[in-house]
Amino acid sequence: MSPAKQKKSNVGTAMSRLNARIHGITSQLIVVPGLESEEEWEAHLEATLVDRAPVGAVETQLVERIAGLTWRMRRVERFECESIAIGRERVDADFAKMQKLSFTDRARSVAEAERRAEDARRCLDIIEGLLQMPPDTALASADVEAILADLADQANENLDGFMKGIEQPAAGVRWTFESLLAAFKALAARDGEAFQEVLAGMIARATVLASSQQMEVASIREELDQLMRERTLPDTKTIDLIIRYETGLNRMLYQALSTLEAMQSRRAGTPTTLHRVQAYGLPGG
């Protein structure tokens, strides 16, 4: 096909698309694919035409414009609702990001805070049951390491240095209440402290840690609830975008309505003013 014929064919295709319109505005031009329904648009357009009862081509075009503008205003409402929904869905992810950027060791989610609280509570139970539990009861190495690491931290030492010279289970052998008790007694003897005093101090500290971890769970839940409440509205940038876009649509809608009403009044023989004062808000609003 020659370039001239190709160009003519493209123009003809575009014109035929416009000729297939419904009352001057096609579904393809007004309906967002995958987001809006052509059937709903056509029903909306038909209802607007029935409501406004245009006569002649110009009035019909004005009513079509009114239908298109009110349809787009519906889209603004949908956009606002979806903006709120998306913002609320992102609360957990945004909170985690904020905690990451804060460079603190604070939990980044309720689930993580709950795991920490559970770990702290389990370590407290181990220390409190040190003298009551059957000596051969096996312990999780992670729990024992957490307890010993906290002691080392209090002594301002790393764990390896803190445990130097203290007998520990051989590789592959699990810790038990008996071996942990022996390690605590050895640490107390090395530091010249009474074991019962060391144990009481450990219980007190573990109690505080378990309580603080539980408080962190409540604190994070409260912050997430606050973020969720704050996102009952879109963010400031989105609100500004909505206001500006909706203001423009309102201006065009009121202009079309005013022009249509003036035409219909003249056609009905009703006197109309030569100048119609219209207010659409402050300049630049």
Side-chain angles (χ1 to χ4, degrees):
M1 181 182 294
S2 68
K5 289 183 177 180
Q6 178 66 50
K7 182 177 181 181
K8 184 176 181 181
S9 176
N10 291 338
V11 172
T13 300
M15 292 300 294
S16 64
R17 178 167 173 259
L18 290 175
N19 288 336
R21 63 191 181 179
I22 301 173
H23 299 292
I25 300 180
T26 68
S27 297
Q28 290 79 10
L29 291 177
I30 195 69
V31 174
V32 178
L35 179 66
E36 298 169 335
S37 163
E38 292 187 13
E39 290 76 13
E40 287 183 7
W41 155 247
E42 290 169 8
H44 171 72
L45 175 58
E46 190 63 35
T48 307
L49 285 163
V50 170
D51 180 62
R52 293 294 165 173
V55 173
V58 176
E59 287 187 14
T60 300
Q61 288 176 3
L62 283 169
V63 175
E64 291 168 355
R65 182 169 179 76
I66 291 167
L69 290 166
T70 52
W71 178 263
R72 289 161 67 189
M73 291 174 76
R74 286 186 183 182
R75 192 178 298 155
V76 174
E77 295 173 355
R78 186 183 303 112
F79 173 74
E80 178 184 9
C81 291
E82 291 180 356
S83 297
I84 294 171
I86 291 171
R88 290 169 69 87
E89 287 172 2
R90 288 194 54 81
V91 161
D92 289 340
D94 289 344
F95 178 82
K97 184 177 180 180
M98 286 189 293
Q99 298 310 310
K100 182 178 180 180
L101 293 175
S102 68
F103 299 103
T104 66
D105 188 44
R106 195 175 186 221
R108 299 178 185 177
S109 67
V110 171
E112 183 180 350
E114 288 176 336
R115 284 195 299 271
R116 292 185 181 186
E118 182 180 349
D119 292 345
R121 182 68 225 181
R122 194 168 55 249
C123 289
L124 172 60
D125 290 341
I126 290 171
I127 297 171
E128 288 182 327
L130 201 58
L131 300 177
Q132 288 80 34
M133 293 294 293
D136 59 350
T137 302
L139 296 170
S141 57
D143 291 338
V144 174
E145 184 177 347
I147 293 170
L148 295 175
D150 183 59
L151 285 174
D153 185 60
Q154 291 181 71
N156 294 319
E157 294 186 44
N158 62 49
L159 183 57
D160 290 337
F162 181 71
M163 294 298 293
K164 187 175 181 180
I166 303 299
E167 184 178 354
Q168 302 178 56
V173 178
R174 298 189 66 177
W175 283 87
T176 63
F177 275 92
E178 182 179 24
S179 57
L180 183 59
L181 177 60
F184 284 161
K185 288 182 176 180
L187 288 168
R190 183 191 68 185
D191 298 336
E193 299 177 355
F195 169 69
Q196 290 295 340
E197 292 181 2
V198 172
L199 181 60
M202 291 174 59
I203 291 174
R205 178 168 173 79
T207 300
V208 171
L209 288 175
S211 177
S212 64
Q213 291 293 346
Q214 194 59 50
M215 289 174 63
E216 182 169 281
V217 173
S219 175
I220 290 176
R221 281 179 174 160
E222 184 177 345
E223 288 183 43
L224 289 171
D225 287 343
Q226 177 63 29
L227 282 174
M228 193 68 78
R229 288 192 296 270
E230 290 174 357
R231 296 188 182 186
T232 303
L233 294 175
D235 59 82
T236 303
K237 183 178 179 180
T238 303
I239 290 175
D240 183 62
L241 175 64
I242 290 172
I243 290 173
R244 290 180 179 276
Y245 184 64
E246 194 169 41
T247 297
L249 291 177
N250 274 324
R251 285 173 176 167
M252 291 185 286
L253 175 61
Y254 294 148
Q255 288 169 355
L257 285 168
S258 177
T259 303
L260 176 65
E261 289 169 2
M263 290 185 65
Q264 292 181 327
S265 294
R266 286 196 297 268
R267 177 165 52 79
T270 304
T272 58
T273 58
L274 295 177
H275 179 68
R276 298 170 66 87
V277 178
Q278 297 172 353
Y280 305 114
L282 297 175

